[in-house]
Amino acid sequence: MAQYIQSGEYDATELDGEWIILNTDNYTVTKINEVGGECWALLKEVQTVDSLTQEIGEKFSSAIPISQMKKDIETFLSQLSECGLIKNVD
Amino acid sequence: IQTNFYTAPKVLIHQPI
């Protein structure tokens, strides 16, 4: 199971339910939604897709199946990875 | 008590400064 963590100590600010992350390594700004921000906060420590899915499932009420939530989080993690904000932990 | 509703986590904007 792949493990992920934030790739650096970046400034993140919550604003009207959205999070803005300032990456001072490659000078980019990234805006993510509320659930994404919760994932981002959890990624200060090593996480897996399963651990994130469990945490998010407990924090947010949802009618969608866990399998769909897991798929959403996998997609989100690949987006964060493309943005250079998280890295794989071996 | 869960008061927040789930929406798929998403990157809304990503751009260079």
Side-chain angles (χ1 to χ4, degrees):
Chain A
M1 177 67 72
Q3 295 181 311
Y4 303 91
I5 194 168
Q6 293 180 11
S7 57
E9 291 185 7
Y10 305 130
D11 288 330
T13 306
E14 187 180 8
L15 193 69
D16 291 337
E18 294 174 342
W19 289 65
I20 295 169
I21 304 165
L22 184 64
N23 184 338
T24 49
D25 287 340
N26 56 11
Y27 299 109
T28 58
V29 63
T30 308
K31 189 159 86 168
I32 56 182
N33 65 2
E34 185 181 14
V35 178
E38 195 62 40
C39 291
W40 173 254
L42 291 166
L43 282 161
K44 280 183 180 175
E45 296 174 355
V46 174
Q47 300 288 341
T48 64
V49 173
D50 285 344
S51 67
L52 284 172
T53 304
Q54 186 178 342
E55 290 280 352
I56 294 299
E58 288 175 2
K59 183 140 190 167
F60 294 88
S61 61
S62 171
I64 69 163
I66 289 292
S67 59
Q68 180 59 49
M69 192 180 286
K70 192 173 173 179
K71 204 174 285 185
D72 292 343
I73 287 172
E74 279 177 346
T75 303
F76 179 65
L77 288 175
S78 66
Q79 287 178 331
L80 286 183
S81 187
E82 284 174 14
C83 295
L85 294 172
I86 61 169
K87 62 183 179 184
N88 273 31
V89 180
D90 295 324
Chain B
I1 300 169
Q2 291 177 327
T3 54
N4 299 325
F5 291 97
Y6 173 84
T7 52
K10 194 175 180 182
V11 171
L12 304 172
I13 294 173
H14 176 71
Q15 61 185 34
I17 301 166

